[in-house]
Structures are given as structure tokens and as C-alpha cells.
Amino acid sequence: MTRPLLPALAAVAAFALPANALDLESMTDAERQAFRAEIRNYLLENPEVIMEAVAVLEQRETAAQAESDGEMIQDHAEAIFNDGYSWVGGNPEGDVTLVEFMDYRCGYCRRAAPDVDDLVEFDGNIRFVIKEFPILGEQSMLSSRFAIATLQLEGDEAYKAAHDALITFAGDIDETSLTRIGETLGLDTDAILARMDSPEVTEVIAENHQLAKSLGISGTPSFVMGDQMLRGYVPREGMEEIVAEIRSDS
């Protein structure tokens, strides 16, 4: 953008202003009108300059957002990566941690699920953390409460089985469907249902919502990888590139 704009501004200054410095505040009305006319004519003759300026602005905004995200992640690293209550899968000793804020009723979360599972399994060195973040209504909340209660009562393996069932479930979520899911998986469904409204489950959801607010996360899926925040669905290939970038920088 700089190269085409500089000669244009010089031409405008030479045409519209006296020999002294370009001073917008000291322009007469006639000089200001001439200045604006020259700028307009230049942009009409060179519209690509506008696109170049927009691209530069977007690059600056992206860089500023990335810097802000990195600072927020650093400030909340313990809560993001090691909260002590979220499910941890993949390789617990992996060199890269992938954290997902998800909602079971979110279409893009459902789309992302097989990509994330394939990435974690294929790579073999990724630590995967799921943050239950129900934001899409009562059925989302019921699903997350069921999943969290399952984790607290029956452990990691049972949680992952319940998570996979919920993320692919096509019907409405209510006590009847949750009972059917639990029974199909061989879970102690009565105990899980009884725990769903407990303070222990409620606290996990509240903590995740507070953390998401602190990180500026308002939609699902949202991911944290290294010092990067990924807001929205990212295909497996994109995640693989980010993983490789994180490893090359470490």
C-alpha cells in the first residue's frame, strides 16, 4: 500500500497546496476540496489500493488479536490446561495440549468431533482436554450434566463413551433418552441422573463458563492450542499445521 499512496499524496500536495508543508488544519476550503477531489480521483483510478489497505488492516487486527489471545492464555494457563476436573484423553504426556470448549447440540462441534479424534489418534503425542461448555439451551445443559456426572462417578473411559454417544445422538435429550444412552453403555444410570443437579456438577459448568468469559469465548467449538486460540471449526489439516508450528517453535 505504501508505494502507490506516497506518489499520489505528493501529487495532491503539489496541486492543492502551497509550497509549505502539508497541513490539513491550515487548508482553506478550496484547498481542502481540491485535496479531497485528488484523493477521490486517485482511488477511482486505482481501486486496488483500497483492497491493499483492507488487507493490511486485517493483518494488523489478526496480529493484535493473536497477541491478546496469547496473553489471556498465559494468564489463565492453569485453568485451561490443568483444572483437575475436565476429562483428559489422548496422550496424557503429549508435547502439545489441545483444549476444546464444546456443546453437544452444536452442529460444528459434531462436525469437528471425528476430525479431532482422528488427529489425536493419528498423531499419538497430543494431550486432549474437553471443556463442557453448554450454551445452546436446556438440552445442551442436560447433556453436559450427564457427561460430567458420568466422569465424576464412573471415570474417564465411561465419560468418553458417553461423550461420543451424546455428540452423535440425533434425537431430543431428556431423562428418557439419557437413561437409554446410559443403559446402552452399561452405566449406573440411576446414580448418574441423581448426580446431574449436584453442586459438584454445577460448579464444573460454572467454572468453564467463567473461564470462557475471561478468554473472550462465546461460541463453540473453540480451541486452545499452545498460545493460540481457534474460534470456530478448524478441519483436521489446519490443526495438523498448527501442531507442527507449535512443535517447531518449542
Side-chain angles (χ1 to χ4, degrees), residues 8 37-50:
E38 285 298 314
I39 292 293
R40 181 178 185 276
N41 290 337
Y42 177 78
L43 292 177
L44 289 175
E45 294 172 2
N46 302 274
E48 67 276 6
V49 172
I50 298 175

Side-chain angles (χ1 to χ4, degrees), residues 9 13 48 51 56 59 75 77 83 103 109 120 122 132 142-143 148 155 162 165 182 193 195 199 201-202 213 233 239:
L9 289 176
E48 67 276 6
M51 300 308 298
V56 170
Q59 290 172 1
D75 291 343
D83 61 25
D103 183 307
C109 295
V120 172
F122 175 79
E132 298 280 345
L142 288 173
S143 298
I148 295 166
L193 293 176
R195 190 177 179 86
V201 171
T202 299
K213 182 178 180 180
Y233 168 70
M239 288 192 172

Side-chain angles (χ1 to χ4, degrees), residues 62 135 152 228:
T62 298
I135 57 174
Q152 292 178 351
Q228 299 186 44

Side-chain angles (χ1 to χ4, degrees), residues 94-183:
D95 63 345
V96 173
T97 296
L98 167 63
V99 180
E100 179 182 6
F101 288 77
M102 55 76 58
D103 183 307
Y104 289 106
R105 309 303 287 178
C106 163
Y108 281 103
C109 295
R110 292 177 172 230
R111 184 178 176 183
D115 283 357
V116 172
D117 285 345
D118 288 348
L119 170 69
V120 172
E121 182 178 358
F122 175 79
D123 184 281
N125 202 25
I126 294 176
R127 180 175 176 265
F128 179 36
V129 180
I130 296 178
K131 298 281 191 181
E132 298 280 345
F133 185 47
I135 57 174
L136 297 177
E138 183 60 25
Q139 292 190 45
S140 296
M141 184 64 72
L142 288 173
S143 298
S144 280
R145 286 186 176 275
F146 184 85
I148 295 166
T150 298
L151 177 61
Q152 292 178 351
L153 292 178
E154 303 212 16
D156 291 344
E157 187 175 342
Y159 169 85
K160 188 58 166 65
H163 170 85
D164 291 346
L166 289 165
I167 201 67
T168 57
F169 188 74
D172 290 334
I173 292 294
D174 53 25
E175 184 173 328
T176 299
S177 58
L178 291 174
T179 298
R180 186 162 61 250
I181 290 172
E183 290 176 348

